[in-house]
mmCIF file of all heavy atoms in Angstrom:
data_model
loop_
_atom_site.group_PDB
_atom_site.id
_atom_site.type_symbol
_atom_site.label_atom_id
_atom_site.label_comp_id
_atom_site.label_asym_id
_atom_site.label_seq_id
_atom_site.Cartn_x
_atom_site.Cartn_y
_atom_site.Cartn_z
ATOM 1 N N CYS A 67 8.402 20.437 -1.924
ATOM 2 C CA CYS A 67 9.338 21.556 -1.789
ATOM 3 C C CYS A 67 10.671 21.130 -2.370
ATOM 4 O O CYS A 67 11.058 19.958 -2.258
ATOM 5 C CB CYS A 67 9.503 21.969 -0.311
ATOM 6 S SG CYS A 67 10.549 23.443 -0.101
ATOM 7 N N LEU A 80 5.204 24.715 5.563
ATOM 8 C CA LEU A 80 4.455 25.189 6.737
ATOM 9 C C LEU A 80 4.408 26.737 6.763
ATOM 10 O O LEU A 80 3.369 27.330 7.057
ATOM 11 C CB LEU A 80 5.075 24.655 8.022
ATOM 12 C CG LEU A 80 4.936 23.169 8.269
ATOM 13 C CD1 LEU A 80 5.828 22.720 9.419
ATOM 14 C CD2 LEU A 80 3.492 22.806 8.553
ATOM 15 N N GLY A 272 -15.418 -18.225 30.930
ATOM 16 C CA GLY A 272 -16.411 -19.263 31.089
ATOM 17 C C GLY A 272 -16.285 -20.314 30.027
ATOM 18 O O GLY A 272 -15.390 -20.280 29.173
ATOM 19 N N ALA A 275 -19.872 -23.021 25.815
ATOM 20 C CA ALA A 275 -21.317 -23.181 25.723
ATOM 21 C C ALA A 275 -22.057 -22.079 26.492
ATOM 22 O O ALA A 275 -23.168 -21.703 26.129
ATOM 23 C CB ALA A 275 -21.721 -24.535 26.283
ATOM 24 N N SER A 349 -0.483 5.657 11.695
ATOM 25 C CA SER A 349 0.655 5.630 10.778
ATOM 26 C C SER A 349 1.914 5.507 11.616
ATOM 27 O O SER A 349 1.950 5.922 12.788
ATOM 28 C CB SER A 349 0.694 6.878 9.889
ATOM 29 O OG SER A 349 0.777 8.060 10.685
ATOM 30 N N ALA A 439 -15.812 18.770 33.423
ATOM 31 C CA ALA A 439 -17.064 18.656 34.159
ATOM 32 C C ALA A 439 -18.245 19.095 33.295
ATOM 33 O O ALA A 439 -18.152 20.048 32.526
ATOM 34 C CB ALA A 439 -17.022 19.497 35.433
ATOM 35 N N GLU A 486 -16.333 31.720 18.528
ATOM 36 C CA GLU A 486 -16.533 32.040 17.112
ATOM 37 C C GLU A 486 -16.416 30.799 16.207
ATOM 38 O O GLU A 486 -16.486 30.918 14.998
ATOM 39 C CB GLU A 486 -15.511 33.100 16.670
ATOM 40 C CG GLU A 486 -15.658 34.426 17.401
ATOM 41 C CD GLU A 486 -14.599 35.412 16.951
ATOM 42 O OE1 GLU A 486 -13.729 35.038 16.156
ATOM 43 O OE2 GLU A 486 -14.674 36.582 17.396
#
Side-chain angles (χ1 to χ4, degrees):
C67 185
L80 291 169
S349 59
E486 297 179 355

